[in-house]
Amino acid sequence: DVHYSLIVVCFSSHIVIYSYDNCFYKSLDSTSRLSRDIMPLLDFCTCAQGAIGGSLIGLSATSLLLLNGDVMGMSGIASAILLDPVKAFSDKSNHWKLVFLGTFAITTNLVISDINALISKGYLAGVTPAVSPLGYAIGGFLVGLGTRLGNGCTTGHGICGLARLSRRSFAAVGTFMGSAVATTVLFVSPQAVFAQYTEFLRTNTQPTTTVTNPYMSYMASAVAIGYVAYSALYKRIKNSSTASAAPLLLEKKDSSNLAEEKTSPTATTTTTTITPTEVDQEANNIRKSGAAALSGALLATGLALSNMLVPSKMYGFLDVSGFGRGTYDPTLMVVMGSGVWMSWLGYQYIEGHSLVQKNPNHFLTCPVAMRRDSGASFNVPSNKIINMELLVGATIFGIGWSIAGLCPGPALSWAAWGVPEALYQWWPTFYVGQRVGVEIKKQLAK
């Protein structure tokens, strides 16, 4: 089967990367030209961790897609809660997002033992920028504005969009990667061309943080997940009598129709069209919560294992001038490639997005966790228009990503651990940027 072959190739590639990272580096002759070119990269690149963590990130996207039919976009999930929290709690179709964020926060605290050591990992004085409070605030605002205008970030456009070969996502990723690299090389890095004009974005000390009480995230997550569980249980009990009575009524109706058919020679056969009912939708909402919990846990674990919570990893990739200094770190590229590859496997089961499947019988007719007769479908974006709004939004997002060193996924992990820079500087301005983006889109729509 071609799918098993793809999975074997995927894991084989990870084994090759691991062997390369641990064996090839040691076998190089230190006097050879190849060693002078490659060894500095391997000094900073954690390829094996990046491949494993990136695969988990991609598996998180795949599980949410195949089980729930939803796309894993961190900026979209977070903004749905921030911009309209009342709807997030009252509209049961959004409850899976609460569960996703709750399990993400809990898992982050379980897999990371010391966030301060993680943040300062790989920091090089004079090379890696230490972001100032104003830098976090500006970066958060620009990321919020850019993701709202561009409809996605590194997960939505990157991991999911590239995997389904979306033209919009290719344009967005190319744009925000380009703007992030340019911003880092020209303004953000301590070695940047115009670094003397952007000193307000950096501090002169090694990045450290005083973590607030991490149990706050446990309590907040427990409240969100508990509310969803209570709401689902209450609704299920409330509708249990209706749900159990419906088959009995249908059985009586069928029996009476059968009796009429036997006694009446002119009786005609009628067909009943099954449509999604409120009970079916409620059942699907409950099932979505379970799949969302799995996806949130996988994403949190993948981000931690891949070292994508480490600012130096992001700056090491974006600062291409590090090639000349021997400090360039391609780990982020390994993470993105592994994540896109694993996410791509999931899209091979979705009609219209598969490159290897041509037999219609091999495609999923509805998400795996949903009831087949409920009318549930895959919520995959179909917009193919590359417009100025997308490109401007992606550009703004890339600039903000470079300035603060955070995109929505890692920023949520920091906030779950109680990092003040994320809680009190980045996320509040992200919310403001999202609000401004909403208003801009309203004006553009007129």
Side-chain angles (χ1 to χ4, degrees), residues 100-113:
F100 179 93
L101 295 178
T103 54
F104 179 95
I106 292 175
T107 305
T108 297
N109 282 270
L110 293 176
V111 299
I112 300 176
S113 58

Side-chain angles (χ1 to χ4, degrees), residues 68 282-292 368-371:
N68 278 10
E282 183 64 27
N284 285 343
N285 291 335
I286 296 173
R287 295 183 179 193
K288 275 194 171 188
S289 297
V368 176
M370 304 296 102
R371 289 184 175 180

Side-chain angles (χ1 to χ4, degrees), residues 90-389:
S90 60
D91 185 356
K92 292 179 175 56
S93 64
N94 284 327
H95 281 182
W96 69 266
K97 298 176 182 178
L98 296 174
V99 176
F100 179 93
L101 295 178
T103 54
F104 179 95
I106 292 175
T107 305
T108 297
N109 282 270
L110 293 176
V111 299
I112 300 176
S113 58
D114 187 353
I115 191 69
N116 190 44
L118 194 63
I119 291 175
S120 60
K121 182 179 180 180
Y123 173 78
L124 297 176
V127 177
T128 307
V131 183
S132 67
L134 183 58
Y136 282 118
I138 294 175
F141 173 81
L142 293 177
V143 169
L145 175 60
T147 53
R148 175 52 54 177
L149 294 178
N151 295 320
C153 58
T154 51
T155 51
H157 278 310
I159 300 297
C160 300
L162 296 183
R164 65 176 183 271
L165 305 180
S166 167
R167 288 185 293 178
R168 278 176 58 86
S169 292
F170 272 98
V173 172
T175 302
F176 70 64
M177 283 292 185
S179 66
V181 168
T183 303
T184 303
V185 173
L186 295 177
F187 302 104
V188 174
S189 170
Q191 306 294 326
V193 177
F194 303 106
Q196 66 272 24
Y197 303 110
T198 57
E199 293 182 355
F200 63 92
L201 297 176
R202 300 180 298 276
T203 63
N204 297 321
T205 59
Q206 180 173 343
T208 57
T209 183
T210 302
V211 178
T212 59
N213 187 357
Y215 294 104
M216 292 175 59
S217 67
Y218 281 105
M219 292 186 290
S221 302
V223 170
I225 297 175
Y227 175 83
V228 173
Y230 166 77
S231 178
L233 181 62
Y234 173 78
K235 188 73 175 180
R236 192 166 187 174
I237 294 175
K238 183 179 179 181
N239 291 334
S240 60
S241 58
T242 304
S244 60
L248 296 177
L249 294 175
L250 182 60
E251 183 179 353
K252 291 180 179 179
K253 184 176 180 180
D254 291 342
S255 299
S256 60
N257 289 339
L258 182 59
E260 292 178 1
E261 291 177 1
K262 290 182 178 180
T263 56
S264 176
T266 60
T268 59
T269 304
T270 59
T271 59
T272 303
T273 303
I274 300 176
T275 59
T277 64
E278 184 178 351
V279 176
D280 291 330
Q281 293 173 0
E282 183 64 27
N284 285 343
N285 291 335
I286 296 173
R287 295 183 179 193
K288 275 194 171 188
S289 297
L294 172 64
S295 179
L298 287 172
L299 178 60
T301 305
L303 287 174
L305 289 180
S306 64
N307 284 322
M308 287 299 98
L309 307 183
V310 181
S312 62
K313 288 294 179 182
M314 191 279 298
Y315 285 120
F317 173 79
L318 295 178
D319 188 5
V320 294
S321 64
F323 275 111
R325 297 189 299 270
T327 58
Y328 187 74
D329 186 350
T331 301
L332 189 147
M333 181 171 58
V334 176
V335 174
M336 182 72 77
S338 300
V340 170
W341 169 253
M342 188 61 71
S343 180
W344 177 84
L345 290 176
Y347 280 99
Q348 303 317 297
Y349 293 93
I350 310 300
E351 187 173 4
H353 299 281
S354 176
L355 293 179
V356 297
Q357 284 284 15
K358 301 302 180 183
N359 188 344
N361 296 328
H362 291 168
F363 294 125
L364 295 174
T365 57
C366 75
V368 176
M370 304 296 102
R371 289 184 175 180
R372 293 188 177 183
D373 58 349
S374 64
S377 60
F378 293 95
N379 302 315
V380 179
S382 57
N383 188 1
K384 298 181 179 180
I385 300 176
I386 300 174
N387 52 21
M388 189 59 62
E389 184 178 323

